[in-house]
Amino acid sequence: GGTVSGISQYIKGSEEHGCPPLKPEMKTVAVEPQEQMLITDALGGEKIGEQGPHKIQGMGAGLVPKNLDLSVVDEVVPIHSDEAMKMTEELWNIGLPVGVSSGAIVDAAVKVCARPESAGKFCVAIIPSFGERYFTHPMFNEIKQKAEGLTKQPLPEPFDNREFGFETARG
């Protein structure tokens, strides 16, 4: 709640927090597990499907965080745990080891950006964590095995960074 609220208050403006509006027309999209649509419920929206436990660590802990400023949220995009896990694997496969909550956020951003009304607009997805803590998580065993089976490529020879304005050869 703090990340989406703080960034939105800063950019949209918040008299309460002394932030002049920089881009008040910005649209803020919150993301939550489809299986636990508490933010949607708090905003008076309709829940989709069966509600209960989900597999998105770091998101939807059974409550709406007190630091979530609902007044800055323009839309809530629910993402099913399976979709979040699939996107997380795709991100790992392109070299972005992230957690499942980040997978959910990127999946939501992709869906929002695919809408016709989003054409030509600037979109930012904040990935709140890095996946180093998940390297030993059972969910990523298959990805780890694939990575371990890749042929290692030799590293290129080091270059002299002084060519690029640094004071020493190695930066």
Side-chain angles (χ1 to χ4, degrees):
T3 302
V4 71
S5 296
I7 291 171
S8 296
Q9 290 164 348
Y10 182 80
I11 295 173
K12 288 181 169 188
S14 170
E15 285 185 33
E16 179 184 351
H17 299 288
C19 301
L22 302 173
K23 191 169 180 64
E25 69 276 10
M26 179 182 87
K27 182 177 178 182
T28 298
V29 177
V31 181
E32 70 181 345
Q34 182 176 315
E35 301 95 325
Q36 199 174 90
M37 297 175 64
L38 301 175
I39 300 170
T40 297
D41 188 50
L43 291 171
E46 192 172 321
K47 296 177 181 180
I48 302 169
E50 189 175 326
Q51 299 293 293
H54 61 87
K55 301 173 189 170
I56 305 175
Q57 297 171 338
M59 192 180 277
L63 53 88
V64 176
K66 289 183 180 180
N67 61 353
L68 175 60
D69 179 356
L70 294 173
S71 72
V72 298
V73 176
D74 298 299
E75 179 183 359
V76 182
V77 174
I79 298 296
H80 193 277
S81 294
D82 295 339
E83 295 173 304
M85 291 170 69
K86 184 175 186 261
M87 178 58 76
T88 302
E89 183 173 345
E90 289 179 34
L91 293 169
W92 275 65
N93 287 334
I94 63 168
L96 292 171
V98 297
V100 182
S101 61
S102 296
I105 290 167
V106 172
D107 194 61
V110 168
K111 289 177 179 173
V112 169
C113 289
R115 298 175 185 165
E117 65 269 23
S118 296
K121 293 191 176 168
F122 187 72
C123 177
V124 176
I126 305 296
I127 297 176
S129 67
F130 199 64
E132 73 281 352
R133 72 186 95 188
Y134 305 111
F135 287 150
T136 57
H137 191 282
M139 179 186 145
F140 300 104
N141 280 342
E142 188 178 327
I143 298 170
K144 184 179 175 186
Q145 289 172 352
K146 283 181 191 175
E148 288 172 347
L150 295 173
T151 304
K152 292 180 174 69
Q153 301 295 318
L155 292 174
E157 290 296 319
F159 53 86
D160 190 338
N161 281 321
R162 291 177 288 208
E163 297 175 38
F164 303 101
F166 289 93
E167 290 184 23
T168 63
R170 298 295 161 246

